[in-house]
């Protein structure tokens, strides 16, 4: 059984769980601008918690392809009041901070966030790993090629699975060396990968269990769905559900999604399937 200690709250990952995405930004690729007021942030968090989210992932700086730079000061100004209110209203919920900034991470953990979700894998600021070690929080280590501004400009790999795996092995080792106990890995679907790379990684997702840490799959409404089906992100819920089931079959323990209800139902059906096929 894998149990992650989130500032005293224990997250049991022996069965898969759902992480709800709460973007408090004006420019995220799917829900930008929807949750920027105090009331809308609380309402959306409450909705996802009621639908069964085990974690709420709060982000105050967009990481969509071509995203504009947001200063650390602005990110902190967005994140601190939001997290303070969220933790106050939902004290039993686990909140993660979606940020590549050590300063923003420290501010968020100070307001009650208890997981760090870093899309840069520590690559934006080499102080991040030491910061996480000092804060003693679980850390979600994601692979990215390039930066959000450049990552989709002709990404290239000789062997996507092996290169992503090698990166995650090395970075996990570095985190362990600093004393970070709870590491979760994310292959980074859509972050410096083209359509072929994304589907290769999904088909080989079980390979990442070699690290013996939980695997997070962030497939929600992403370009691999939209490009394949020739639809916009607003039409990509059904495709998200289909790929989430494949991710679960290949060992994912956390589904990071915009649509919690559908993901929770997918996990329940998957768990029932596993139960009857022991």
């Amino acid at each position: 059984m894998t149990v992650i200690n989130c500032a005293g709250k224990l997250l049991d990952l022996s069965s898969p769980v759902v992480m709800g995405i709460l973007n408090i930004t004006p420019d995220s690729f799917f829900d930008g601008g929807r949750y920027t007021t105090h009331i809308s942030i609380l309402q959306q968090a409450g909705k996802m918690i009621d639908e069964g989210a085990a974690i709420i992932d709060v982000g105050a700086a967009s990481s969509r392809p071509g995203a504009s730079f947001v200063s650390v000061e602005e990110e902190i100004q967005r994140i601190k009041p939001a997290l303070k209110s969220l933790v106050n209203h939902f004290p039993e919920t686990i909140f993660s901070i979606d940020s590549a900034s050590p300063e923003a991470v420290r501010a968020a953990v100070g307001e009650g966030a208890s997981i760090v979700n870093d899309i840069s894998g520590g690559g934006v600021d080499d102080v991040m790993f030491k910061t996480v070690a000092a804060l003693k929080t679980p850390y979600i280590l994601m692979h990215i090629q390039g930066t959000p501004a450049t990552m989709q400009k002709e990404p290239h790999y000789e062997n996507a699975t092996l290169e992503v795996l090698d990166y995650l092995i090395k970075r996990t080792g570095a985190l362990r060396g600093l004393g970070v106990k709870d590491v979760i890995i994310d292959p980074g679907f859509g972050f410096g990968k083209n359509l072929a790379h994304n589907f290769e990684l999904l088909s080989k997702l079980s390979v990442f269990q070699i690290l013996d840490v939980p695997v997070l799959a962030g497939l929600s409404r992403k370009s691999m769905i939209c490009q394949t089906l020739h639809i916009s992100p607003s039409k990509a819920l059904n495709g998200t559900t289909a790929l989430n089931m494949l991710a679960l079959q290949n060992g994912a323990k956390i589904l990071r999604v915009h649509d919690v209800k559908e993901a929770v139902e997918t996990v329940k059906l998957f768990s029932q399937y596993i139960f009857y096929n022991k």
Side-chain angles (χ1 to χ4, degrees):
M1 181 172 70
T2 301
V3 177
I4 303 294
N5 187 348
C6 305
K9 299 184 182 77
L10 300 182
L11 178 64
D12 183 0
L13 296 177
S14 56
S15 295
V17 301
V18 172
M19 170 189 276
I21 300 168
L22 183 56
N23 288 319
I24 56 172
T25 62
D27 58 344
S28 294
F29 82 95
F30 170 62
D31 53 3
R34 293 188 190 181
Y35 313 115
T36 56
T37 67
H38 177 78
I39 292 175
S40 63
I41 289 169
L42 290 178
Q43 285 179 337
Q44 179 63 5
K47 177 176 181 287
M48 291 192 290
I49 292 165
D50 288 344
E51 290 175 347
I55 311 163
I56 303 295
D57 191 37
V58 186
S62 176
S63 57
R64 64 175 174 79
S68 301
F69 173 77
V70 174
S71 70
V72 174
E73 292 77 17
E74 184 175 356
E75 186 179 357
I76 291 173
Q77 285 174 4
R78 291 175 182 172
I79 204 71
K80 285 190 70 173
L83 267 171
K84 184 175 183 178
S85 183
L86 286 165
V87 172
N88 194 38
H89 279 79
F90 309 106
E92 300 304 313
T93 298
I94 295 170
F95 291 95
S96 56
I97 171 63
D98 178 4
S99 178
S101 162
E103 293 90 343
V105 161
R106 280 193 290 269
V109 172
E111 296 296 347
S114 56
I115 300 176
V116 175
N117 181 17
D118 177 13
I119 63 125
S120 78
V124 168
D125 192 323
D126 58 11
V127 177
M128 179 64 89
F129 283 10
K130 292 180 181 178
T131 299
V132 173
L135 293 170
K136 302 186 186 306
T137 60
Y139 179 74
I140 300 172
L141 170 69
M142 197 193 81
H143 175 274
I144 183 173
Q145 187 180 94
T147 67
T150 65
M151 62 189 181
Q152 291 310 106
K153 296 179 180 178
E154 300 182 6
H156 175 77
Y157 301 86
E158 294 298 328
N159 185 311
T161 302
L162 290 180
E163 290 175 48
V164 173
L165 178 62
D166 183 61
Y167 171 94
L168 293 172
I169 288 172
K170 289 177 180 176
R171 303 297 273 176
T172 299
L175 287 160
R176 296 287 193 222
L178 290 169
V180 179
K181 294 181 179 179
D182 291 324
V183 179
I184 298 162
I185 58 170
D186 177 356
F189 294 105
F191 286 85
K193 286 98 177 169
N194 63 25
L195 193 62
H197 301 144
N198 285 316
F199 276 99
E200 176 191 335
L201 287 167
L202 180 58
S203 69
K204 302 288 179 60
L205 196 62
S206 60
V207 169
F208 294 94
Q209 294 180 64
I210 193 173
L211 282 86
D212 197 29
V213 296
V215 176
L216 180 150
L219 295 155
S220 185
R221 298 182 181 268
K222 286 196 172 171
S223 61
M224 62 189 292
I225 301 166
C226 299
Q227 289 177 22
T228 300
L229 301 178
H230 306 291
I231 56 175
S232 66
S234 65
K235 305 287 187 182
L237 175 55
N238 188 52
T240 297
T241 300
L243 295 194
N244 277 340
M245 181 60 85
L246 292 174
L248 292 172
Q249 290 174 330
N250 282 295
K253 289 297 185 181
I254 303 174
L255 298 179
R256 183 179 183 272
V257 301
H258 299 91
D259 309 280
V260 169
K261 176 179 177 289
E262 291 79 1
V264 168
E265 289 176 350
T266 303
V267 169
K268 286 180 179 178
L269 289 168
F270 170 75
S271 298
Q272 194 79 337
Y273 170 80
I274 294 298
F275 177 79
Y276 283 107
N277 282 274
K278 286 182 179 178

